[in-house]
Amino acid sequence: EAEVAQSPRYKITEKSQAVAFWCDPISGHATLYWYRQILGQGPELLVQFQDESVVDDSQLPKDRFSAERLKGVDSTLKIQPAELGDSAMYLCASSLGPLVGAFFGQGTRLTVV
Amino acid sequence: RKEVEQDPGPFNVPEGATVAFNCTYSNSASQSFFWYRQDCRKEPKLLMSVYSSGNEDGRFTAQLNRASQYISLLIRDSKLSDSATYLCVVNADEKLTFGTGTRLTIIP
């Protein structure tokens, strides 16, 4: 069964350092999402791509976060500099289109110390 | 008002019982609806889509009420393995918005 791949699974980083997460969506899925989930809350959308274009990044803290999907396939989410409040699970998801259900990767659990 | 609202629970239900969750949404132009299941410290997994006519998958039934802007999930004959957090998801303006989730524990 096709899966969304994410790496790393776990990341511990010091405050003010840079950190990057990678996501490879299910083959053929044009829509890619990055979500952040804090324990006890639902996932919150950070950025949404349609192919290589950003269609929604209204909730992305652009002073420190950036995301790209250069060839419309895999994607990278970067945080620089990391802050203590960035500790969370970062989830990547993909779907065939924006109107259908999305499938999630296993996530990257980030701890900022 | 939040875009998607759910009762966070927890719901503690005896094995074999029937349990139902509701979820309300604020955007009347929302186009598609889903229920996801999330186990502790795991990723959300798509449980089922919710159609206007309602749909059933085994012990699970999902319904949509557009007039009142809510969706529901019914679980019959609950199993211990149904213990999880159930997330309501609404698609509006081609964006998937998640509720905070309803935590369900099935008690032996």
Side-chain angles (χ1 to χ4, degrees), chain B residues 22-83:
Chain B
N22 278 347
C23 162
T24 59
Y25 60 94
S26 60
N27 188 338
S28 60
S30 297
Q31 296 161 295
S32 51
F33 309 87
F34 309 93
W35 283 102
Y36 279 71
R37 171 197 169 122
Q38 186 171 28
D39 293 295
C40 189
R41 302 181 86 82
K42 300 280 191 179
E43 76 276 17
K45 293 192 175 176
L46 180 61
L47 182 64
M48 57 199 305
S49 302
V50 187
Y51 304 120
S52 297
S53 55
N55 50 304
E56 189 174 309
D57 183 2
R59 297 181 294 109
F60 297 80
T61 301
Q63 295 198 309
L64 166 64
N65 185 318
R66 282 194 183 272
S68 301
Q69 294 182 207
Y70 75 84
I71 67 172
S72 64
L73 177 68
L74 182 82
I75 306 175
R76 287 182 300 278
D77 187 24
S78 54
K79 312 290 184 193
L80 296 176
S81 57
D82 294 333
S83 296

Side-chain angles (χ1 to χ4, degrees), chain A residues 35 37 48 56 98-99 102, chain B residues 32 36 38 91 94-96:
Chain A
Y35 284 87
Q37 186 175 26
Q48 178 177 338
D56 189 333
L99 293 180
Chain B
S32 51
Y36 279 71
Q38 186 171 28
N91 188 318
E94 299 189 343
K95 185 175 85 170
L96 289 176

Side-chain angles (χ1 to χ4, degrees), chain A residues 16-97:
Chain A
S16 81
Q17 295 299 303
V19 63
F21 313 131
W22 176 79
C23 172
D24 190 12
I26 293 171
S27 178
H29 281 196
T31 307
L32 185 147
Y33 310 85
W34 283 101
Y35 284 87
R36 177 170 61 186
Q37 186 175 26
I38 296 167
L39 202 61
Q41 299 182 19
E44 291 183 298
L45 181 68
L46 291 174
V47 61
Q48 178 177 338
F49 291 91
Q50 186 64 26
D51 298 307
E52 67 276 6
S53 300
V54 173
V55 297
D56 189 333
D57 63 356
S58 56
Q59 300 303 309
L60 188 71
K62 297 182 190 63
D63 56 334
R64 298 185 300 107
F65 286 64
S66 64
E68 60 183 17
R69 192 184 184 197
L70 291 175
K71 296 182 180 177
V73 181
D74 59 338
S75 175
T76 303
L77 178 70
K78 296 179 182 176
I79 308 174
Q80 182 174 19
E83 295 181 353
L84 296 177
D86 296 333
S87 295
M89 173 82 95
Y90 290 81
L91 293 158
C92 179
S94 70
S95 68
L96 285 170

Side-chain angles (χ1 to χ4, degrees), chain A residues 10-21 79 81-84 86-87 109-113:
Chain A
Y10 305 92
K11 180 70 179 179
I12 300 174
T13 192
E14 291 184 346
K15 190 174 66 168
S16 81
Q17 295 299 303
V19 63
F21 313 131
I79 308 174
E83 295 181 353
L84 296 177
D86 296 333
S87 295
R109 186 168 298 281
L110 173 68
T111 302
V112 182
V113 297

